[in-house]
Amino acid sequence: MAAPRPERVSVLLPTYNERDNLPLVVWLLERTFSDSGIDFEIIIIDDGSPDGTQEVAQQLEKIYGSDKIVMLFLFPSGTAYIHGMKFATGNFIVIMDADLSHHPKFIPEFIRKQKEGNFDIVSGTRYKGNGGVYGWDLKRKLISRGANFLTQVLLRPGASDLTGSFRLYRKEVLQKLMEKCVSKGYVFQMEMIVRARQMGFTIGEVPISFVDRVYGESKLGGNEIVSFLKGLLTLFATT
Amino acid sequence: SLQAAMTKLGQWLCGLALLGSAWAALALAPPGLQPPAPLRQALLPLPVYLLVAFGCYSLATVGYRLATFNDCEEAAAELQEHIRAARADLRRRGLPL
């Protein structure tokens, strides 16, 4: 029997003005991976943050080593993943938010789930099992559940959380998906899952907790809702 | 398969066209070809009934999911602890925080 291929996880972290959170996320990632013995690298893709995020990233690289921390600067955020992937040396790619709403502790669970079903994608879900959210009021939760219901009815995607952005992909799968997806923001995350299903990729789910420490300051605006609906209808009509 | 090749919009339009034409053929048929009166009486308002039923189902489903949306109190508390540990350790390692 052939020896199992050594695994490496590349974490793609797009950042914008995350000077305070970036060191914490990196610390948590390093802890999680070394506690579970998983080989990793963190690719920080910064969109020209004016708050000193890049300086912090450089300091982190000194602390953790340049084989663990890779930095890419000044890419428009829509293309962060595409560029990040070019530098990724892992066979699994994790996409997550850098603002601590996603906790790295779920990554080993993603990997366990991936092995369990040999899934092409493992998606963190806030809507199933003991997944959930902290820091949202009733109105925000209602919008979230309502939008998700509409998405389920229109797109029948086979995954419970389409706008979530905490996922593990096999590298080849992400590469193929990136070639096909054209949307931005929330809709991009939705399009990835929809296209993945179209292309016959398998999707596993792991419940995650989403800790929103920012909601108090940044309410979900009418603009975001309108662009979500536009994106949803576009996917409805084109996929 | 045909279903795979169609967009979701296409599937909906096909489905609606099929059901719509079946309903129209039965409910709006000319006098010679009409189904028996009780069947016609049930068929005529059927689209509206189905719409209302779907509306109720939607409200109930979203309401239920809203009510059972988990609040991750422990996750938030755990995160605060982890943040404290991270800051202390990073300071030790020379990161000016």
Side-chain angles (χ1 to χ4, degrees):
Chain A
M1 194 167 79
R5 207 163 51 135
E7 263 153 14
R8 184 166 227 233
V9 175
S10 298
V11 180
L12 297 187
L13 269 187
T15 59
Y16 187 72
N17 284 346
E18 294 291 2
R19 195 191 61 166
D20 295 326
N21 289 326
L22 182 59
L24 305 173
V25 166
V26 168
W27 189 88
L28 285 172
L29 281 166
E30 191 273 335
R31 264 309 193 83
T32 303
F33 285 121
S34 47
D35 284 350
S36 39
I38 299 170
D39 187 24
F40 73 100
E41 66 181 352
I42 302 171
I43 302 178
I44 301 171
I45 309 138
D46 185 65
D47 193 10
S49 301
D51 73 340
T53 302
Q54 296 184 6
E55 283 75 33
V56 168
Q58 277 162 341
Q59 285 162 345
L60 289 168
E61 192 194 26
K62 285 203 190 71
I63 295 176
Y64 288 104
S66 52
D67 61 328
K68 292 294 178 223
I69 309 260
V70 177
M71 293 171 309
L72 300 173
F73 295 147
L74 292 177
F75 286 111
S77 50
T79 59
Y81 297 144
I82 298 179
H83 291 286
M85 254 199 324
K86 295 203 182 94
F87 292 81
T89 62
N91 50 333
F92 290 126
I93 302 202
V94 167
I95 288 183
M96 57 185 288
D97 290 349
D99 61 359
L100 294 174
S101 52
H102 294 146
H103 198 300
K105 70 178 180 180
F106 292 106
I107 298 179
E109 291 184 39
F110 287 178
I111 294 181
R112 213 171 8 246
K113 185 73 183 179
Q114 193 282 330
K115 292 210 172 83
E116 193 183 287
N118 196 24
F119 292 109
D120 297 306
I121 302 175
V122 177
S123 174
T125 174
R126 297 159 293 175
Y127 299 132
K128 260 168 67 167
N130 60 353
V133 177
Y134 176 82
W136 281 3
D137 59 11
L138 205 62
K139 176 174 160 206
R140 180 68 182 86
K141 284 187 193 173
L142 176 62
I143 294 175
S144 183
R145 282 296 201 176
N148 182 259
F149 178 78
L150 194 57
T151 306
Q152 296 292 330
V153 167
L154 289 180
L155 300 182
R156 302 192 318 272
S160 61
D161 190 346
L162 241 61
T163 52
S165 49
F166 193 7
R167 300 187 186 141
L168 172 98
Y169 297 81
R170 291 202 297 114
K171 187 170 174 199
E172 323 81 77
V173 172
L174 186 58
Q175 275 165 338
K176 293 210 181 84
L177 286 174
M178 298 291 313
E179 284 161 24
K180 289 219 153 196
C181 292
V182 295
S183 340
K184 302 266 190 291
Y186 282 135
V187 184
F188 172 72
Q189 302 296 343
M190 289 164 56
E191 191 184 357
M192 295 264 260
I193 296 281
V194 169
R195 298 260 177 229
R197 290 266 292 176
Q198 265 185 338
M199 294 165 80
F201 293 132
T202 53
I203 303 173
E205 296 195 292
V206 167
I208 56 153
S209 45
F210 180 92
V211 177
D212 196 337
R213 298 148 72 219
V214 162
Y215 175 55
E217 300 133 42
S218 69
K219 308 278 179 192
L220 190 68
N223 273 340
E224 279 192 300
I225 296 184
V226 166
S227 60
F228 165 79
L229 287 173
K230 285 211 296 232
L232 175 58
L233 291 175
T234 306
L235 284 177
F236 178 62
T238 59
T239 63
Chain B
S1 76
L2 190 63
Q3 198 189 42
M6 266 199 269
T7 63
K8 289 291 180 295
L9 176 60
Q11 289 171 13
W12 276 67
L13 291 176
C14 261
L16 286 173
L18 273 167
L19 292 173
S21 48
W23 174 83
L26 286 172
L28 308 176
L33 298 165
Q34 278 168 356
L39 187 59
R40 259 192 8 252
Q41 271 171 357
L43 274 180
L44 226 36
L46 194 59
V48 179
Y49 285 170
L50 287 176
L51 215 55
V52 171
F54 177 70
C56 292
Y57 164 76
S58 304
L59 282 175
T61 304
V62 174
Y64 172 75
R65 290 176 180 173
L66 177 61
T68 56
F69 208 162
N70 288 329
D71 267 313
C72 303
E73 306 278 346
E74 295 147 15
E78 183 190 54
L79 181 63
Q80 287 309 312
E81 264 182 54
H82 287 174
I83 289 177
R84 266 192 293 272
R87 300 187 76 119
D89 192 42
L90 285 167
R91 236 178 259 121
R92 266 203 313 274
R93 296 202 200 200
L95 195 76
L97 272 173

